[in-house]
Amino acid sequence: MKALQLVKYGNIEDSLAFNEVSKPDVQAKDVLVETKAAAINPIDKSIIMGNLQSMIPIPLPSSLAYDVSGIIVDKGDEVSDFEIGDFVYARVPQEQMGTIAEYVAINCSAVSKKPENISFEEAASIPLAGLTALQSLEYVGIKENDKILIHAGSGGVGSLAIQYAKAKGAYVYTTTSTNNVKWVKELGADRVIDYKTEDYKTIVANADIVFDTLGENYTLEAFQVIKQGGKVVSVIGPLDEESAKMFGMADYKLPEELSKLISDKEASYKFIFMHPNGAHLGELKSLIEDEKIKPIIDKIYSFSESIEAFTHLASGRAKGKIVIKIK
Ligand SMILES: NC(=O)c1ccc[n+]([C@@H]2O[C@H](COP(=O)([O-])OP(=O)(O)OC[C@H]3O[C@@H](n4cnc5c(N)ncnc54)[C@H](OP(=O)(O)O)[C@@H]3O)[C@@H](O)[C@H]2O)c1
């Protein structure tokens, strides 16, 4: 079968190649999916550039990407919740990475039936970003009337987080640039802050939650806009100590400046590294079928245009998700 592979670490143009590889083996708990569509995420770019070699060691060449939708064409002996012919979507586990390929084997715990009211391309756009939004906001226990600031509302994660937070009844502030303000507002955000012309720190005050999708100074500044005892959840800021242990960094200490901000605000800080979860995708399926969440796609590329898709991703300007139609 044909797959897009990372052949060496480096820049996008030099590192990727279409290779003929064998179909993946199907283990007892796996389903084999004929891929209809895949989607790409900033983590794929970081992997290509070799920035995550210590955290995620990958033998090269390696097929790329985590998001997939498609049709089950085979399954292992211990799979009881899915049948051949089912339409499914998933964020595949790390060891099964490689969704820009004609087939992918996936542990069934990571799989959900696909939402029935959307296309395969739309379904592929959901898993990694949707799970990130759901798991982050579920971690902080988002609830009705919470005031939340979600950074980068026009990004893959932000555009789904806004809709998830609104489905939970929260009041949503979000940041984006001028050209995206109108459509981000249409996702349901209550106050869209144009970061080109406005300073969010003068607009948001006493927020219950900040969802940090930007990192660097944004992680620190979150403590200026949360209430005393508020919660900051980040997917790109410094690891917290518990997360660091998960990555084998037993002696890790939170940066001092961040520790002080947390303590001054009697706040909580958590770094979330999303994990594959079929049950969570089932929750997103229901929200999509109830029209509480809709997929946001920037552009759909063909399989042969996959490398261009990565160049677009690397621009950091995607409006929602970048999808690759495989078949
Ligand atoms: N820890 C985890 O498990 C996990 C999971 C998923 C993602 N992540 C991380 O989370 C981050 C977001 O991921 P993503 O998939 O949403 O990325 P993305 O879709 O590539 O984000 C692109 C968007 O970011 C917006 N943006 C860039 N700078 C901004 C700024 N200063 N203020 C407001 N918006 C800004 C851009 O809007 P404009 O063009 O308007 O600026 C664009 O729409 C990435 O760093 C990713 O690595 C972590």
Side-chain angles (χ1 to χ4, degrees):
M1 67 164 193
K2 196 163 115 182
L4 182 74
Q5 293 204 303
L6 176 64
V7 291
K8 63 172 182 172
Y9 293 114
N11 61 40
I12 289 164
E13 293 72 22
D14 302 333
S15 305
L16 305 180
F18 291 99
N19 286 337
E20 205 48 49
V21 300
S22 39
K23 259 195 202 175
D25 292 334
V26 182
Q27 305 298 324
K29 289 192 162 63
D30 286 350
V31 294
L32 183 69
V33 171
E34 183 181 24
T35 312
K36 297 295 250 177
I40 56 176
N41 291 279
I43 189 171
D44 303 313
K45 184 195 75 179
S46 303
I47 288 174
I48 294 169
M49 294 171 70
N51 296 343
L52 297 179
Q53 288 182 64
S54 56
M55 268 168 86
I56 309 177
I58 294 167
L60 299 185
S62 174
S63 301
L64 272 176
Y66 297 97
D67 278 333
V68 65
S69 67
I71 302 173
I72 297 182
V73 292
D74 196 4
K75 63 176 200 163
D77 295 341
E78 292 174 28
V79 176
S80 52
D81 292 347
F82 297 99
E83 300 302 332
I84 290 170
D86 281 350
F87 292 5
V88 292
Y89 73 148
R91 187 287 197 189
V92 302
Q94 182 58 50
E95 58 282 8
Q96 295 178 313
M97 181 176 86
T99 58
I100 308 177
E102 289 172 287
Y103 295 90
V104 56
I106 317 170
N107 186 294
C108 60
S109 66
V111 178
S112 162
K113 299 254 179 72
K114 154 190 170 295
E116 288 184 6
N117 56 337
I118 59 174
S119 66
F120 280 108
E121 290 78 22
E122 289 172 317
S125 77
I126 296 289
L128 193 150
L131 290 172
T132 305
L134 179 150
Q135 290 168 5
S136 301
L137 299 191
E138 205 170 62
Y139 182 86
V140 288
I142 191 162
K143 58 182 189 319
E144 204 165 356
N145 297 326
D146 273 349
K147 271 204 299 186
I148 182 170
L149 167 64
I150 298 171
H151 276 301
S154 50
V157 174
S159 58
L160 294 172
I162 290 170
Q163 298 180 77
Y164 184 81
K166 287 309 299 174
K168 296 286 168 189
Y171 183 94
V172 176
Y173 296 91
T174 192
T175 53
T176 191
S177 65
T178 314
N179 287 342
N180 294 321
V181 167
K182 186 169 178 291
W183 72 265
V184 170
K185 178 93 190 144
E186 285 163 9
L187 297 177
D190 296 282
R191 177 68 166 91
V192 181
I193 301 164
D194 177 350
Y195 72 75
K196 298 269 187 198
T197 59
E198 299 178 293
D199 177 1
Y200 75 93
K201 298 188 292 307
T202 63
I203 295 168
V204 185
N206 287 317
D208 297 283
I209 302 165
V210 173
F211 184 23
D212 167 33
T213 61
L214 291 170
E216 299 181 351
N217 274 345
Y218 291 91
T219 314
L220 303 176
E221 288 171 5
F223 294 87
Q224 291 179 35
V225 302
I226 54 165
K227 67 178 189 189
Q228 200 71 19
K231 299 170 185 174
V232 177
V233 60
S234 178
V235 289
I236 191 70
L239 298 178
D240 60 82
E241 285 163 13
E242 189 188 33
S243 311
K245 280 203 188 91
M246 211 173 74
F247 290 111
M249 299 156 70
D251 298 331
Y252 175 88
K253 288 269 168 279
L254 210 58
E256 229 167 76
E257 195 179 1
L258 181 56
S259 279
K260 182 168 179 339
L261 290 168
I262 296 169
S263 136
D264 289 352
K265 267 281 161 97
E266 298 169 313
S268 73
Y269 173 77
K270 178 70 187 162
F271 175 86
I272 295 283
F273 193 62
M274 62 75 55
H275 55 277
N277 186 315
H280 284 169
L281 285 180
E283 279 180 49
L284 291 170
K285 172 181 187 292
S286 301
L287 287 165
I288 291 167
E289 289 173 347
D290 291 346
E291 299 186 352
K292 300 261 170 47
I293 289 184
K294 63 175 181 180
I296 305 296
I297 294 185
D298 179 318
K299 187 164 175 187
I300 301 174
Y301 290 85
S302 67
F303 197 176
S304 61
E305 293 169 331
S306 300
I307 297 174
E308 287 169 44
F310 277 103
T311 307
H312 180 25
L313 174 80
S315 75
R317 299 270 81 84
K319 301 175 190 341
K321 298 292 307 172
I322 298 167
V323 172
I324 298 170
K325 184 180 166 94
I326 304 291
K327 195 168 185 187

